[in-house]
């Protein structure tokens, strides 16, 4: 069967050829490919030849998987013509699962999203009803491609994908012909860097794990796991990056403006809130307390929250916060920022000793 070629003028989806074999090996031995995919280990020329034979066999059978090589038509001088692979595997009833991966030289140029749109439209034209995307949980690069094409994340499946390192959790998203392939279905919130005086708000970095400290706050001060430690940092920061990718919250690292050392976390939670509102949360590491970093960080976050979306902000109208009665330090930070306490929930939070503390509710309005 002849491979159906698809193009948008920037990428060309075509049959794989023997000329692609060296670049296929390079892609499948790249550290990111090994981390996030289930390609055979080790991957050599023989494995690439077996893959080439598989793609040809699949195309020769009606209703089986369709595999395309992604060619970068407007590639820079010296870049390989082979930019990666995308495949579509029909599952019956108009449903199909998509997979894709790019050669390292081709990443970061929007090529995978272009290829994904071409394949989805090809499937719709043939009566397809649904395309499903699945990836190892944590693969934000792959999710950004699906997100850019309008896919909606549905769930995380525990221990779902066999991987050389063991069973891995999977993220699942899908798209239908009625959805907009050219526009994300939800915002991907970014922690815009801001600074003033001794404090700087910026994105969390992997190397910030070394600056985290064991938390010493009573358990009823904040939700379990809210304070990052060196031992929990990898999972902690992934959950926050994931929430931002789903438009649920924004998370900043509170950093020392002098040396950029991580000193705490500040978040604005939009999930579960009314439109135009968010809940504030923050924590400062023990060694960084008493220097006004929480107050400075909160002022910067408030400015970002009020700033219009067209100007890079969130365009919010209302911020809320919650503290327990005996958390006087957090209450002082909120009062200095202009928050007003409007109510309490009696005996709402359980202490370690079995007693209960009241929950205090705070609010700040943009027009105040």
């Amino acid at each position: 069967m002849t491979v159906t070629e698809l193009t948008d003028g920037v990428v060309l989806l075509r049959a794989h050829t023997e000329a692609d074999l060296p670049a296929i090996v390079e892609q499948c031995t790249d550290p990111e490919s090994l981390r996030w995919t289930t390609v055979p280990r080790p991957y050599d020329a023989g494995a690439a030849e077996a893959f080439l034979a598989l793609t040809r066999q699949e195309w020769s059978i009606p209703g089986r998987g369709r595999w395309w090589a992604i060619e970068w038509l407007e590639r820079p001088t010296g870049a390989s013509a082979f930019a990666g692979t995308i495949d579509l595997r029909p599952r019956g009833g108009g449903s199909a699962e998509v997979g894709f991966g790019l050669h390292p030289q081709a990443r970061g140029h929007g090529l995978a999203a272009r290829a994904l749109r071409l394949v989805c439209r090809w499937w719709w034209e043939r009566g397809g009803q649904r395309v499903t995307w699945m990836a190892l949980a944590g693969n934000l690069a792959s999710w950004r491609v699906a997100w850019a094409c309008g896919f909606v994340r549905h769930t995380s499946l525990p221990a779902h994908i066999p991987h050389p390192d063991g069973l891995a959790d999977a993220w699942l998203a899908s798209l239908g012909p009625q959805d907009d392939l050219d526009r994300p279905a939800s915002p991907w919130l970014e922690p815009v860097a801001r600074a003033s005086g001794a404090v700087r708000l910026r994105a969390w970095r992997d190397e910030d794990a070394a600056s985290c400290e064991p938390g010493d706050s009573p358990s009823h001060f904040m939700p379990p796991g809210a304070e990052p430690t060196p031992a929990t940092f990898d999972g902690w920061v992934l959950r926050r990056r994931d929430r931002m990718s789903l438009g649920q919250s924004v998370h900043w690292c509170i950093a020392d403006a002098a040396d950029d050392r991580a000193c705490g976390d500040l978040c604005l939670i939009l999930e579960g809130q009314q439109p135009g509102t968010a809940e504030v949360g923050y924590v400062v590491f023990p060694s960084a307390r008493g220097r006004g970093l929480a107050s400075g960080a909160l002022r910067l976050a408030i400015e970002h929250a009020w700033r219009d979306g067209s100007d890079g902000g969130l365009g919010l109208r209302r911020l809320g916060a919650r503290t327990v009665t005996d958390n006087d330090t957090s209450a002082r930070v909120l009062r200095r920022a202009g928050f007003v306490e409007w109510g309490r929930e009696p005996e709402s939070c359980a202490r370690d000793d079995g007693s209960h503390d009241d929950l205090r509710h705070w609010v700040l309005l943009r027009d105040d």
Side-chain angles (χ1 to χ4, degrees):
M1 180 178 179
T2 302
V3 175
T4 302
E5 292 191 347
L6 307 171
T7 186
D8 65 354
V10 176
V11 298
L12 169 68
L13 305 189
R14 56 163 176 79
H16 293 80
T17 70
E18 284 79 2
D20 298 326
L21 294 177
I24 291 174
V25 173
E26 290 174 356
Q27 176 182 327
C28 294
T29 54
D30 171 72
E32 289 298 297
S33 294
L34 293 172
R35 179 182 181 185
W36 297 115
T37 73
T38 58
V39 295
R41 273 87 157 159
Y43 200 99
D44 53 18
E49 290 169 356
F51 170 72
L52 183 60
L54 170 67
T55 66
R56 290 170 173 172
Q57 179 182 5
E58 290 284 280
W59 272 100
S60 70
I61 304 173
R64 293 291 289 271
R66 299 295 179 248
W67 302 73
W68 289 269
I70 304 171
E71 182 171 336
W72 189 1
L73 298 177
E74 299 180 354
R75 60 188 177 275
T77 302
S80 170
F82 174 83
T85 292
I86 187 167
D87 67 274
L88 189 76
R89 302 177 296 281
R91 302 187 302 181
S95 175
E97 183 175 338
V98 70
F100 49 83
L102 291 184
H103 187 279
Q105 289 183 344
R107 295 170 190 163
H109 300 279
L111 305 183
R114 289 179 174 274
L116 181 55
R117 293 186 183 105
L118 287 170
V119 168
C120 288
R121 291 188 173 111
W122 179 85
W123 184 238
W124 307 151
E125 291 168 1
R126 280 149 186 78
Q129 296 300 305
R130 204 76 189 166
V131 173
T132 298
W133 166 91
M134 185 182 296
L136 268 66
N139 191 347
L140 288 167
S142 183
W143 166 230
R144 189 176 283 275
V145 172
W147 166 84
C149 295
F151 280 71
V152 174
R153 278 263 302 278
H154 304 300
T155 190
S156 179
L157 303 173
H160 186 75
I161 299 179
H163 189 270
D165 295 331
L167 288 174
D169 295 351
W171 284 345
L172 180 70
S174 71
L175 183 81
Q178 75 281 359
D179 298 317
D180 190 345
L181 271 168
D182 297 309
R183 184 174 303 171
S186 61
W188 188 308
L189 300 174
E190 301 285 357
V192 178
R194 301 181 61 86
S196 178
V199 66
R200 181 177 180 227
L201 293 183
R202 59 164 173 80
W204 282 96
R205 303 168 184 154
D206 292 345
E207 55 267 28
D208 289 327
S211 298
C212 295
E213 303 171 10
D216 63 354
S217 300
S219 62
H220 66 293
F221 273 26
M222 61 188 64
E227 297 181 85
T229 68
T232 64
F233 181 80
D234 289 347
W236 181 90
V237 77
L238 173 59
R239 289 191 295 274
R240 279 141 185 82
R241 290 168 177 168
D242 185 27
R243 290 170 189 163
M244 290 191 287
S245 81
L246 297 173
Q248 297 174 349
S249 57
V250 186
H251 290 265
W252 285 275
C253 171
I254 302 173
D256 188 318
D259 59 12
D260 206 31
R261 181 175 62 89
C263 296
D265 178 68
L266 187 146
C267 65
L268 296 178
I269 303 169
L270 285 76
E271 181 186 21
Q273 308 295 319
Q274 292 295 317
T277 70
E279 181 179 346
V280 176
Y282 47 85
V283 60
V284 174
F285 301 153
S287 66
R289 294 172 189 163
R291 297 163 48 196
L293 295 180
S295 293
L298 183 54
R299 285 194 296 270
L300 291 173
I302 292 170
E303 291 172 3
H304 182 76
W306 296 162
R307 190 184 299 272
D308 290 340
S310 60
D311 196 23
L314 295 175
L316 301 180
R317 60 177 178 81
R318 180 183 185 275
L319 291 175
R322 295 180 292 174
T323 66
V324 290
T325 303
D326 57 352
N327 191 348
D328 295 328
T329 300
S330 188
R332 285 195 296 271
V333 170
L334 292 170
R335 285 198 186 96
R336 283 196 291 266
F339 281 77
V340 175
E341 183 180 355
W342 62 266
R344 299 193 180 195
E345 294 182 60
E347 297 190 16
S348 178
C349 303
R351 295 190 180 101
D352 290 337
D353 62 6
S355 63
H356 292 79
D357 199 359
D358 295 351
L359 185 65
R360 307 169 71 178
H361 292 267
W362 304 80
V363 67
L364 178 67
L365 301 179
R366 178 176 181 174
D367 296 333
D368 285 350

